[in-house]
Amino acid sequence: MPLAISCALALSLARAPALRAAERSVRRETRHVERARPGNSRQRLAVESQSSFRELLAAGAKYSQLDVRGNSSALEQRLHPVAEAMQARRAVGSRPGARTDGIKIALAVEGGGMRGCVAAGMVAAIHHLGLTDSLDAVYGSSAGSLIGAYLLSRQDPRYGCSIYYEELPKAGRRFIDLRNVLRSLGLGALRVTPAGVSDLVQRRLGMPVLNLDQLLVEIVQRRKPLDFDRLWAGQPDQPLRVVASATASEGCGSWRSLPELAHCMRASMLLPGICGPVVPLNNSRGEARLRGTDRKSITSPLVEPHADAMLFEPIPYRLAVREGATHVLVLRTRPDGVNVVRRQSIFERLIAWRFFERKMRMPHMYKHMRDQQHRQRYAEDILLLNEAAKQSQADSGIHIRWRSGPGPPEPVQLCQVALQPGERGPEVSNLQTDAGVLAPLAHEGGSPLDGWQLALEVFPDSILEEVRASMAKPKPKPT
């Protein structure tokens, strides 16, 4: 038998007992479920805890074989300590910068592209419940950073929400142009049109599939301008933290003007390969100095390239805890009951290879995406938040070592909010532009926080009817 085959067989036999032992150790809390693909008889192993997830991977189980689903249903039976603390602050009229309770409450908002419409509805509920002043800081990943900005600007929350079902769907190809996918795959030569040839010759990365300028410049700074002066005035006592992934480390951005804030948000939202080049930010504090995106500026020792928060911190509660938060309200944009484990397609791998390995000269980041380390972290986050959802007032919180160094793990209270499975909780694509889908999700996003009665007051059905009526009108041909 060839040596390579013998070694592989020996390795598989050595790993088999460990894998079986890990499976036995979590048998009580796992179940087998069918794969999502209809007609496929193969099964996945459902995992219910973070420790089980790590044990299975260490024993040799493949990430793609696992099944991880969010579950915040425990919140329906009890008042979570985070919600209790926020209500207590509201009852006494506590204000940011003048706390007396000795705790720090943070809001962590998940992104997810157009799934941000769900978090936008949730933030609207926080506003209408009078809980905004109970927060000490807001952390946003990707689209969550924009949603958090509109919350802290104290503008009508429906103003920010309407970006998803009014502005972006009308933008058409000015915002999302799927014709540019070929270039993202490295197959731009196949687009034999004048525009395709021009793009191939003149642009190193090609035209983006998702044009962030349409959102962060045309809409946020012009059509539905963010009240930056009011947002900035509240920063000392109630800061907004824009979380992005520094490609040599994990980082976040700071800013002093609306264009600089938009620049940080660009980094936080930059899906590798489809949104343009990485964003260079000052590497001392993640500051958003508006620099060029050519290779010389990106490789300067004064800056560090940043990309989408999903690479290192898709749900930004980790940074909140590292910065001293004792209680964190986490807004998730994927509904409960949805398997967050995704198989990596050949197209995803090809886009990641072209962007990070070939164009950006960042092989470590290509390996990070190829090995799906970002998705494994997301799955672990979901499992940890599921465990935290079961905490009661008598519990001290989840004990995890967030900082390096000696000492026991520090307790923290984490409370997740997500749509429930079923008709009221569908999952939306991160590139969805159908206003008829997005408007109901913004409408439904607030329901886990405030119940359907108040959700209908904030987003009455008349809004949905107006959106559907506008969709029925003849659409202009895309340019």
Side-chain angles (χ1 to χ4, degrees):
M1 183 180 293
L3 179 61
I5 297 178
S6 300
C7 292
L9 179 59
L11 181 60
S12 64
L13 291 175
R15 290 197 312 179
L19 179 56
R20 287 195 296 270
E23 290 177 346
R24 285 195 299 269
S25 71
V26 298
R27 186 170 297 166
R28 292 182 180 179
E29 58 179 352
T30 60
R31 66 187 187 280
H32 284 90
V33 296
E34 292 185 359
R35 291 180 185 269
R37 183 178 301 174
N40 195 332
S41 60
R42 300 180 67 185
Q43 295 178 328
R44 293 193 184 194
L45 182 66
V47 186
E48 302 293 343
S49 73
Q50 191 182 61
S51 60
S52 302
F53 181 84
R54 291 175 176 175
E55 287 177 11
L56 287 169
L57 290 180
K62 292 182 178 180
Y63 164 74
S64 61
Q65 296 173 340
L66 305 181
D67 187 287
V68 176
R69 299 170 187 258
N71 183 5
S72 59
S73 60
L75 299 176
E76 299 176 358
Q77 283 79 42
R78 63 178 66 88
L79 183 64
H80 193 277
V82 175
E84 181 185 36
M86 293 177 69
Q87 292 181 10
R89 284 184 169 183
R90 180 183 61 183
V92 299
S94 177
R95 304 278 297 177
R99 308 295 191 196
T100 59
D101 53 15
I103 63 176
K104 180 178 179 180
I105 302 178
L107 176 68
V109 189
E110 181 186 2
M114 298 301 284
R115 285 202 312 272
C117 63
V118 177
M122 294 176 177
V123 162
I126 290 174
H127 172 85
H128 282 274
L129 288 170
L131 294 171
T132 304
D133 283 341
S134 69
L135 303 171
D136 294 306
V138 175
Y139 295 77
S141 288
S142 189
S145 61
L146 179 61
I147 294 161
Y150 277 101
L151 172 68
L152 295 183
S153 71
R154 300 308 201 274
Q155 293 167 275
D156 187 328
R158 288 176 295 188
Y159 182 76
C161 285
S162 64
I163 289 176
Y164 285 96
Y165 55 80
E166 288 183 357
E167 299 296 335
L168 295 179
K170 289 190 299 186
R173 287 178 176 169
R174 288 171 298 175
F175 180 51
I176 297 178
D177 192 345
L178 296 179
R179 297 175 301 178
N180 297 326
V181 169
L182 282 175
R183 187 72 192 278
S184 297
L185 292 168
L187 304 174
L190 297 180
R191 187 180 173 188
V192 287
T193 64
V197 173
S198 174
D199 179 58
L200 186 64
V201 172
Q202 298 180 12
R203 294 176 178 268
R204 177 167 162 261
L205 285 174
M207 289 289 290
V209 175
L210 194 155
N211 180 16
L212 292 176
D213 282 341
Q214 182 65 28
L215 171 63
L216 298 176
V217 178
E218 180 63 24
I219 296 176
V220 173
Q221 300 184 48
R222 297 170 186 165
R223 296 180 63 86
K224 288 190 181 295
L226 178 72
D227 189 342
F228 182 82
D229 290 340
R230 195 166 184 183
L231 172 66
W232 182 252
Q235 285 301 292
D237 298 324
Q238 199 178 43
L240 170 70
R241 299 287 275 154
V242 180
V243 181
S245 296
T247 53
S249 60
E250 302 173 38
C252 63
S254 60
W255 35 270
R256 297 187 181 91
S257 67
L258 182 53
E260 288 184 354
L261 173 59
H263 198 59
C264 275
M265 289 180 177
R266 178 186 298 276
S268 186
M269 298 178 184
L270 194 135
L271 291 169
I274 69 170
C275 291
V278 292
V279 177
L281 301 178
N282 186 297
N283 63 5
S284 61
R285 291 193 304 160
E287 293 180 343
R289 295 297 168 261
L290 302 181
R291 302 176 183 270
T293 55
D294 59 287
R295 181 171 296 179
K296 182 178 179 180
S297 67
I298 290 174
T299 56
S300 165
L302 299 178
V303 299
E304 184 174 3
H306 289 65
D308 198 320
M310 67 94 176
L311 294 172
F312 290 122
E313 191 148 9
I315 307 177
Y317 70 92
R318 295 171 184 265
L319 179 61
V321 175
R322 286 198 297 270
E323 295 188 346
T326 59
H327 296 62
V328 186
L329 178 64
V330 179
L331 305 185
R332 283 180 31 227
T333 57
R334 277 196 171 98
D336 283 350
V338 172
N339 184 16
V340 301
V341 174
R342 296 286 193 268
R343 284 191 183 85
Q344 188 177 52
S345 71
I346 185 63
F347 300 106
E348 290 177 288
R349 181 175 292 192
L350 188 57
I351 289 174
W353 173 83
R354 176 183 179 268
F355 183 74
F356 279 127
E357 177 88 24
R358 182 182 170 195
K359 297 292 185 179
M360 295 288 104
R361 301 291 191 268
M362 299 175 184
H364 63 291
M365 290 307 304
Y366 167 63
K367 184 179 184 298
H368 180 84
M369 293 195 70
R370 182 198 65 194
D371 297 342
Q372 300 196 80
Q373 294 178 31
H374 58 301
R375 287 179 173 168
Q376 291 182 33
R377 171 168 286 197
Y378 185 80
E380 287 196 24
D381 285 348
I382 294 298
L383 292 169
L384 180 66
L385 291 171
N386 287 350
E387 182 181 351
K390 302 173 185 177
Q391 299 288 300
S392 66
Q393 288 90 336
D395 297 320
S396 60
I398 298 294
H399 287 73
I400 296 182
R401 185 178 300 281
W402 299 99
R403 300 178 181 89
S404 59
E410 301 176 20
V412 59
Q413 294 287 357
L414 302 173
C415 177
Q416 64 172 331
V417 177
L419 292 179
Q420 297 304 298
E423 181 183 356
R424 290 293 189 178
E427 183 177 14
V428 62
S429 163
N430 58 0
L431 295 180
Q432 176 65 258
T433 57
D434 187 335
V437 174
L438 298 171
L441 284 171
H443 179 279
E444 293 162 9
S447 61
L449 285 160
D450 57 27
W452 280 105
Q453 184 175 357
L454 183 53
L456 289 171
E457 293 176 7
V458 177
F459 292 99
D461 286 335
S462 59
I463 293 180
L464 307 185
E465 293 167 2
E466 291 174 6
V467 171
R468 289 174 181 135
S470 66
M471 291 178 61
K473 298 178 181 178
K475 296 182 180 179
K477 293 183 179 180
T479 58

